[in-house]
Amino acid sequence: MSPSDLGVILAIALAAGAFGAMLGLGGGIILVPALILLQGAPRTEAVAASVVSVIATSSAAAIAYVRDHYTDIRLGLILETSTAVGAVAGALLAGHLSDRLVAALFATLLVSAAVSLLRRRDEEAAVAIASETPFLEGSYTALPAGETVRYGVVRLREGLAGGLLAGMVSAILGVGGGLVKVPLMVLRMGVPMRVAIATSNFMIGVTAVATAVPYYAAGYVNPYLAAPCALGVLIGARTGARFAQRSRSLLLRRTFACVLLYTAYTMARRSVAP
Amino acid sequence: MAQGGLPHPDPSQTPDVHSAVSGALRLGVTVSLVLLAAAVVAAALEPPHRASGWPSVIDPATGSVRWPPALAFAGLLVLMATPILRLVVAIVCYWRSDERVYAWIAAAVLAVVLSSVWVGLRAMPKRGERPSRQVSDAANGAYASMMHSSRLQFSQTSIRSVSCTDRTTFKGRFV
């Protein structure tokens, strides 16, 4: 392995891990195109390395997120049940629905979520849901100030329905569920942005196992590519988690909204592509 | 038991779940980190001629173990087992802390994940194999489901076309 190639792969993986951990996404949005374009990796091997790296992102970031109570494990488990069912339903429906129509609808949904994330603030959302009875309560210590933030999670049914939808859309279009679940938790369930990111991060590692093991067993994982990727992501994700814990919620919201808008753009292009 | 029909515990009374899950994660990540770092160092030191071709654990020429892929596969295996471990730890902790509804929910998630793994193992064609039409269709369905899990964003690709055409491997940059 040449040192320059090793350095490039590790740098890509560090960035992908930090980015994924910071926003509660897998990091595949960076890893797959970068490995293909910068390293000339075949698509299958890039995807396989990325799938394994999603687990690395989730596990490395979750050490700090879970320890510091940013991750709402109960909420994550509840949402994961409906998302998993939605994914199975989406896989069954994939051949019977118009890919373009779903992509167009999804792009609209993402733009709407991005605009809401940019316009609303945590404090406003908290006031809006204060009158509702929470089905879960949690708290975390906000860094760097060290203040304890308490929150209540509301609208269980809406969350389960949203998780189901997220799973279906993700299965049909191949986009990450974190893109749907983070805005869902923040905008509709009263979950603070940092908790939503940490909880999404926790969930993606569990579900990514379902993808990674078949890739691994079928021989698509190239160890010379996946090992440095996973190593870089493990290190980058811990850095990204620390940054997310200390950064302002507004910055995370704006960055996430940009990712939503970018994804909406790619979905819109897909819906009109010949 | 409280509003909404779900247990409504005070988080401060059940800190062991978070610390136990975080500990399980730290264990898995540390072991995989050590193995993967050793694999990367071993690969960097490996003679160029040995790194050509699809990397296998056993060297076909000599019959000896090739340590870079062996260490990498071991590290990746530990990494993939870590989320399962944390689910098992969560099940045990919630069960012992009398929040059994969450233990059941975690068990349901684990069952769905393991079922998906089983379906994926059956549907995914081995690398280099030409799948039958039936297998290929099943794989495409599973592939769509997997894309959900992997949280990737790229245009959908047929498993059939991948498995039949993707004979090249990522090796050139390492030799």
Side-chain angles (χ1 to χ4, degrees):
Chain A
M1 184 184 294
S2 77
S4 62
D5 286 321
L6 177 62
V8 171
I9 295 173
L10 282 173
I12 293 169
L14 276 166
F19 182 80
M22 203 175 82
L23 297 180
L25 308 172
I29 189 173
I30 292 178
L31 208 52
V32 173
L35 289 176
I36 293 172
L37 296 175
L38 300 179
Q39 283 294 298
R43 174 180 285 258
T44 324
E45 290 175 33
V47 171
S50 175
V51 163
V52 174
S53 297
V54 171
I55 300 174
T57 304
S58 171
S59 297
I63 292 174
Y65 282 146
V66 172
R67 182 196 60 211
D68 297 338
H69 288 247
Y70 279 78
T71 302
D72 195 324
I73 298 178
R74 296 183 185 88
L75 177 61
L77 291 173
I78 290 168
L79 288 183
E80 194 53 45
T81 53
S82 70
T83 307
V85 172
V88 173
L92 294 173
L93 289 171
H96 306 283
L97 292 175
S98 164
D99 186 63
R100 291 184 179 192
L101 178 64
V102 177
L105 291 173
F106 189 57
T108 310
L109 180 73
L110 290 180
V111 170
S112 168
V115 171
S116 297
L117 274 177
L118 289 171
R119 289 179 63 183
R120 287 182 72 182
R121 303 172 63 136
D122 275 355
E123 299 78 29
E124 294 170 15
V127 170
I129 63 157
S131 59
E132 299 184 42
T133 306
F135 69 91
L136 275 177
E137 286 179 344
S139 64
Y140 67 95
T141 304
L143 298 173
E147 59 180 321
T148 301
V149 178
R150 297 190 179 278
Y151 62 91
V153 187
V154 297
R155 300 171 191 164
L156 172 63
R157 286 178 189 169
E158 203 170 311
L160 288 173
L164 192 75
L165 182 70
M168 289 177 68
V169 171
S170 299
I172 293 168
L173 297 178
V175 296
L179 285 170
V180 178
K181 279 187 280 192
V182 171
L184 172 74
M185 284 188 269
V186 172
L187 297 171
R188 303 302 304 167
M189 302 182 74
V191 180
M193 186 70 189
R194 289 182 227 196
V195 176
I197 286 171
T199 305
S200 170
N201 218 303
F202 182 80
M203 287 188 274
I204 60 176
V206 175
T207 44
V209 172
T211 315
V213 174
Y215 266 106
Y216 183 92
Y220 292 100
V221 176
N222 184 339
Y224 287 98
L225 186 62
C229 275
L231 183 65
V233 165
L234 282 173
I235 298 166
R238 298 202 67 171
T239 310
R242 282 198 201 103
F243 181 77
Q245 283 179 306
R246 294 174 182 278
S247 59
R248 291 164 55 213
S249 179
L250 188 62
L251 174 67
L252 296 175
R253 276 171 171 265
R254 285 178 177 166
T255 312
F256 199 94
C258 289
V259 175
L260 288 180
L261 290 173
Y262 169 75
T263 310
Y265 167 71
T266 60
M267 287 294 122
R269 277 187 60 187
R270 191 160 148 185
S271 68
V272 297
Chain B
M1 209 72 167
Q3 307 112 342
L6 287 167
H8 213 199
D10 180 354
S12 63
Q13 292 178 358
T14 55
D16 56 320
V17 178
H18 280 81
S19 57
V21 171
S22 182
L25 286 165
R26 187 178 293 108
L27 176 68
V29 166
T30 304
V31 172
S32 61
L33 194 71
V34 169
L35 289 168
L36 291 170
V40 169
V41 171
L45 299 174
E46 191 177 38
H49 70 278
R50 297 196 70 190
S52 60
W54 182 261
S56 60
V57 175
I58 304 296
D59 191 329
T62 63
S64 59
V65 174
R66 290 177 64 183
W67 286 107
L71 288 166
F73 281 131
L76 296 171
L77 201 60
V78 172
L79 192 63
M80 289 188 291
T82 303
I84 301 297
L85 176 66
R86 73 171 124 156
L87 267 183
V88 172
V89 168
I91 292 169
V92 172
C93 288
Y94 279 127
W95 189 267
R96 290 171 72 175
S97 65
D98 285 337
E99 292 185 73
R100 298 201 170 173
V101 66
Y102 290 106
W104 284 113
I105 291 172
V109 171
L110 182 61
V112 171
V113 169
L114 293 179
S115 303
S116 302
V117 167
W118 184 74
V119 170
L121 288 172
R122 288 178 63 87
M124 180 81 81
K126 297 285 183 193
R127 194 180 69 84
E129 283 182 2
R130 179 186 289 272
S132 66
R133 173 70 191 217
Q134 192 177 9
V135 171
S136 176
D137 289 345
N140 284 332
Y143 181 74
S145 176
M146 287 169 190
M147 285 304 97
H148 148 69
S149 304
S150 61
R151 274 49 177 169
L152 299 175
Q153 290 185 56
F154 59 94
S155 59
Q156 288 175 318
T157 308
S158 162
I159 282 288
R160 189 188 330 157
S161 65
V162 168
S163 60
C164 292
T165 60
D166 187 29
R167 305 278 178 163
T168 58
T169 60
F170 185 78
K171 60 183 181 183
R173 301 303 185 93
F174 290 153
V175 296

